[in-house]
Amino acid sequence: ATFASMSSCFPGIPILEELLISSESPEDVSTISQLLGSASAHLTLLGDLSIRACERAGENLTFAMLSRHSVMRRLVSFLLHWPTALKGSNDDLMSLLMHMPDIEYFYLDRCSKECESDLTLDVLPAIAYRCPKLNDLELFIDCRIQFPAETLVNEYSGQSSLKRLGLCDSPINEGE
């Protein structure tokens, strides 16, 4: 089954609160967009969404594409395991998270170890500050780009409910 075929059953289960989908078929941005569109229209109680796809066809998935779907605004928990890192800047990720006011668990990972992330370490203080309910965060980011540590201490101290931070296989500079 593909994401597109699975989304056709959503009208029959409107009280669904948790959805876990895994696909072995190649998925593309249009099929995940169709899945999220159908979930937005039919799964009004959905709070937990987990999507796993390790093969894709076509273009890269972006934070902006996820932001367009109203189902994202209702989520408390979101897990996305996608073949490549999502495309978009720190600001694009922040824009997505600002549309998710109740998010407590946010997990983004990718299957391919060869891809690079556009996200950098300096997104972490902003996420901690602007997502007051977020307890658990896992991202693939580029940890090699430095930002002033005093930013975290001075501007965001004591503002976070974050209890767990995972950086997946994020590249890290050593000894610098």
Side-chain angles (χ1 to χ4, degrees):
T2 65
F3 288 166
S5 64
M6 286 185 250
S7 64
S8 65
C9 70
F10 293 166
I13 48 174
I15 61 170
L16 191 69
E17 295 177 2
E18 182 177 357
L19 177 62
L20 300 113
I21 296 179
S22 183
S23 176
E24 298 300 321
S25 303
E27 299 292 348
D28 62 21
V29 172
S30 66
T31 60
I32 195 169
S33 186
Q34 182 178 354
L35 175 95
L36 293 172
S38 183
S40 295
H42 302 290
L43 303 179
T44 58
L45 300 177
L46 189 67
D48 298 330
L49 178 59
S50 176
I51 301 171
R52 292 181 182 271
C54 280
E55 288 190 44
R56 75 166 171 95
E59 67 211 76
N60 288 321
L61 187 60
T62 66
F63 295 117
M65 192 285 298
L66 293 175
S67 294
R68 288 194 291 268
H69 296 282
S70 64
V71 69
M72 301 301 289
R73 293 178 187 94
R74 298 189 296 265
L75 296 179
V76 173
S77 175
F78 180 63
L79 179 146
L80 178 64
H81 192 78
W82 194 249
T84 60
L86 269 69
K87 290 297 174 191
S89 67
N90 290 348
D91 289 340
D92 295 331
L93 174 59
M94 285 309 306
S95 179
L96 170 62
L97 288 170
M98 295 305 293
H99 288 95
M100 301 174 78
D102 295 322
I103 197 72
E104 294 176 11
Y105 178 86
F106 191 83
Y107 179 99
L108 296 180
D109 198 6
R110 83 282 177 254
C111 300
S112 171
K113 303 299 182 198
E114 288 82 40
C115 65
E116 293 195 14
S117 176
D118 297 329
L119 301 176
T120 61
L121 271 175
D122 62 341
V123 75
L124 296 177
I127 291 173
Y129 180 70
R130 293 195 179 102
C131 300
K133 294 182 179 180
L134 189 64
N135 293 316
D136 198 326
L137 174 66
E138 187 139 347
L139 295 173
F140 173 67
I141 62 176
D142 190 343
C143 296
R144 297 171 295 191
I145 299 171
Q146 302 297 316
F147 72 101
E150 49 287 343
T151 300
L152 181 60
V153 174
N154 294 337
E155 293 182 34
Y156 303 107
S157 181
Q159 298 293 325
S160 176
S161 64
L162 197 61
K163 295 178 180 143
R164 184 184 165 283
L165 173 64
L167 297 178
C168 306
D169 296 320
S170 299
I172 299 172
N173 274 354
E174 294 184 27
E176 290 186 24

